Amino acid sequence: MMTMLATIKSTTTGYLKLHLKFSVSVSQFVRGRRRIHQTLLCTRDPISSSSRVFAAASNTSNLVEEFDPEIPVERALTPPSSWYTDHQFHRCELDRVFYGGWQVIGYSDQIKANRDFFTGRLGEVEFVVCRDDEGKIRAFHNVCSHHASILASGSGRKSCFVCPYHGWTYSLNGSLVKATRMTGIENSALNEMGLKPLRVAVWGPFVLLKVTQDKSKKKEDVESDGLVASEWLGSSVGRLSEGGVDSTFSFICRREYTIDCNWKVFCDNYLDGGYHVPYAHKGLMSGLDLETYSTTLFERVSIQECGGGGSKAGEEEDGFDRLGSQALYAFVYPNFMINRYGPWMDTNLVIPLGPRKCKVVFDYFLDPSLKDDEAFIRRSLEESKRVQMEDVVLCENVQRGLESPAYDKGRYALVEKAMHHFHSYDKSLQQLQGFLSGLVAEEKLEKLEFRDG
């Protein structure tokens, strides 16, 4: 310890200037995070720590630069395999991709009545969504202000949120109404220790969340359908409405799959223009006419459409037909899929759990006229599960291949333009590239000043 103090005491003014600027840059880099990745802080040497952080920033910047979104699909190479395996890249995606825009996190029937609530997790953000006693939908960080315990779990109905750790109690509007055994504590400002709000909105049957706060807003209200649709769906909203996406459906069930692959692997599989269907989904293939497959690109959305067999190939001998005459597959950047076919609508929400693992949440909705047809529902869900399990095998095999030294980059087929659109859209990562490049340049300049000074 005395040796460390002596070292710090003898540090030059130039180094202190460098360290101060480094601290500010790191603070910007993590966008308010309270910690850097653990592997970057497992040293007591401040110079070594600085070098390792900037090395990580430089590495991430280099990874972003390895894909050029301006190259058309006919000539483009896919992103490098490191986009699907690198831990630092994954953490930057959480900050710049998932925390910055609207994310679907549930459906409106989960908070249909006053006092209904549900919880979830997005990256490192624990959240709770509820409908308060006045019918207003609210969302908060699901973290007690006292000692950071998770406040609520699962879903259901509550008149208030009571921390299971020390009993602190919050109303459904987020205010702190009871702080146990705090008598005599000075400078506590308990009236300011309510739950931290998150932006929440509803469009059609979907509940959306945005982690990043809008500084222009003075309070967290449910935002209008039109405003959210414009920001979230852009000009695709009309086409999705025509496809019946915002129609009234009956919720049937939820299924969840944990898959050993990067979240983008699952998205890529969805966006390959039906390329894999004849080879991996022979049962599904019999109900689709791939010759009619088309892809339409919007700002944040791509829509793939395909004719069904209808009363021909899609309808089996006993008259069972879950696909109907037209299937619509909408991908909403970065991780939400809407599948509209026959009387069904199902959604896929891909949640990153790490660079090599994700969870996919399937919610199934059905035309209300068929909600009591148990045989049709059971058979449809069995068919859907078979397709999903086939996709799980595909995605996990791709992840294993991405981690092999034999592969770095691939090529697109022309039918994969929705996948190329997904890779090219990421303005957040493009902004990150500029930020990281500036951060690395600043480090090089400060090192030069340090040597000269």
Side-chain angles (χ1 to χ4, degrees):
M1 182 67 179
M2 294 300 295
T3 301
M4 290 180 63
L5 291 174
T7 300
I8 295 173
K9 186 175 181 179
S10 63
T11 303
T12 64
T13 303
Y15 168 71
L16 291 176
K17 177 183 177 183
L18 166 62
H19 189 68
L20 177 60
K21 290 189 176 181
F22 160 71
S23 300
V24 173
S25 297
V26 169
S27 177
Q28 294 171 340
F29 173 62
V30 297
R31 293 173 61 84
R33 287 183 185 276
R34 295 181 181 179
R35 70 193 194 292
I36 310 281
H37 194 276
Q38 184 177 0
T39 58
L40 300 180
L41 293 182
C42 58
T43 174
R44 295 184 180 181
D45 181 352
I47 298 179
S48 175
S49 177
S50 169
S51 299
R52 293 177 68 183
V53 170
F54 280 107
S58 178
N59 178 60
T60 305
S61 179
N62 291 336
L63 293 183
V64 174
E65 291 176 349
E66 285 195 48
F67 180 78
D68 186 349
E70 301 300 322
I71 299 176
V73 65
E74 294 86 354
R75 301 197 306 273
L77 295 173
T78 64
S81 58
S82 50
W83 278 32
Y84 300 80
T85 60
D86 185 86
H87 284 269
Q88 287 300 322
F89 192 88
H90 171 71
R91 292 187 65 82
C92 288
E93 282 183 324
L94 292 181
D95 279 326
R96 295 288 174 146
V97 176
F98 285 92
Y99 298 160
W102 288 109
Q103 300 288 317
V104 173
I105 43 86
Y107 54 94
S108 55
D109 277 359
Q110 291 177 282
I111 44 173
K112 191 173 185 178
N114 292 1
R115 300 188 174 185
D116 285 350
F117 79 96
F118 67 90
T119 62
R121 179 183 176 98
L122 177 63
E124 297 171 340
V125 177
E126 301 278 357
F127 62 81
V128 57
V129 179
C130 66
R131 189 181 291 272
D132 67 17
D133 289 318
E134 297 179 353
K136 180 177 292 185
I137 299 175
R138 299 180 181 273
F140 306 97
H141 287 275
N142 186 20
V143 178
C144 181
S145 299
H146 179 219
H147 282 324
S149 172
I150 297 302
L151 195 61
S153 61
S155 61
R157 300 196 74 197
K158 286 182 180 292
S159 59
C160 60
F161 296 116
V162 181
C163 179
Y165 195 11
H166 294 115
W168 282 37
T169 304
Y170 304 85
S171 70
L172 298 184
N173 66 15
S175 60
L176 177 64
V177 296
K178 181 181 180 181
T180 60
R181 305 181 70 170
M182 295 295 287
T183 302
I185 300 300
E186 299 178 0
N187 304 320
S188 58
L190 294 179
N191 61 324
E192 300 177 4
M193 296 186 70
L195 299 179
K196 303 299 187 295
L198 294 165
R199 294 177 66 186
V200 64
V202 176
W203 185 80
F206 309 123
V207 178
L208 300 99
L209 193 74
K210 182 181 281 192
V211 174
T212 302
Q213 298 297 322
D214 186 345
K215 295 181 180 180
S216 66
K217 289 186 172 296
K218 296 182 180 179
K219 58 182 180 179
E220 302 303 315
D221 288 329
V222 175
E223 304 190 43
S224 69
D225 287 356
L227 179 63
V228 172
S230 176
E231 185 176 347
W232 181 49
L233 300 173
S235 59
S236 72
V237 64
R239 180 66 192 90
L240 292 177
S241 292
E242 290 174 7
V245 168
D246 57 351
S247 301
T248 300
F249 289 94
S250 295
F251 174 75
I252 300 300
C253 69
R254 166 172 288 188
R255 288 177 172 171
E256 299 182 357
Y257 301 86
T258 299
I259 308 177
D260 290 326
C261 71
N262 184 276
W263 67 277
K264 295 187 295 298
V265 170
F266 189 90
C267 296
D268 289 351
N269 179 70
Y270 185 88
L271 294 168
D272 76 351
Y275 200 164
H276 71 283
V277 172
Y279 312 101
H281 304 311
K282 298 190 184 301
L284 177 62
M285 175 66 181
S286 65
L288 296 174
D289 180 7
L290 290 185
E291 295 297 323
T292 66
Y293 212 100
S294 65
T295 300
T296 307
L297 304 179
F298 299 86
E299 299 89 352
R300 296 172 50 89
V301 176
S302 61
I303 295 179
Q304 302 173 87
E305 296 179 82
C306 184
S311 60
K312 300 177 183 178
E315 185 173 315
E316 300 183 12
E317 292 181 0
D318 57 3
F320 175 76
D321 176 22
R322 74 182 182 97
L323 296 178
S325 60
Q326 187 75 14
L328 179 149
Y329 307 104
F331 177 83
V332 184
Y333 182 86
N335 63 330
F336 189 60
M337 300 139 200
I338 306 169
N339 311 301
R340 183 74 178 90
Y341 51 93
W344 286 97
M345 180 177 77
D346 65 68
T347 61
N348 317 149
L349 176 65
V350 189
I351 303 171
L353 300 179
R356 297 174 174 87
K357 189 181 291 291
C358 67
K359 179 170 70 174
V360 185
V361 179
F362 284 76
D363 286 325
Y364 291 88
F365 305 85
L366 184 62
D367 187 291
S369 65
L370 293 170
K371 67 178 182 178
D372 297 323
D373 191 336
E374 295 182 2
F376 177 76
I377 292 173
R378 181 175 61 255
R379 187 165 174 181
S380 295
L381 293 177
E382 288 173 353
E383 290 290 316
S384 177
K385 181 179 180 180
R386 178 175 53 79
V387 174
Q388 308 320 321
M389 296 312 298
E390 291 167 348
D391 277 331
V392 167
V393 173
L394 293 177
C395 291
E396 292 186 342
N397 280 341
V398 167
Q399 184 67 35
R400 291 170 61 188
L402 288 166
E403 295 173 2
S404 165
Y407 182 88
D408 180 35
K409 299 177 182 178
R411 294 296 301 269
Y412 298 97
L414 290 181
V415 295
E416 295 177 304
K417 61 182 180 179
M419 186 193 302
H420 180 261
H421 180 258
F422 167 52
H423 297 154
S424 300
Y425 173 78
D426 204 343
K427 295 178 181 177
S428 297
L429 283 179
Q430 293 174 41
Q431 294 169 357
L432 175 64
Q433 174 182 330
F435 173 74
L436 290 174
S437 297
L439 193 61
V440 173
E442 181 181 350
E443 155 70 349
K444 293 178 179 178
L445 177 61
E446 292 294 344
K447 282 184 176 179
L448 180 61
E449 291 178 355
F450 175 65
R451 287 196 297 268
D452 291 344

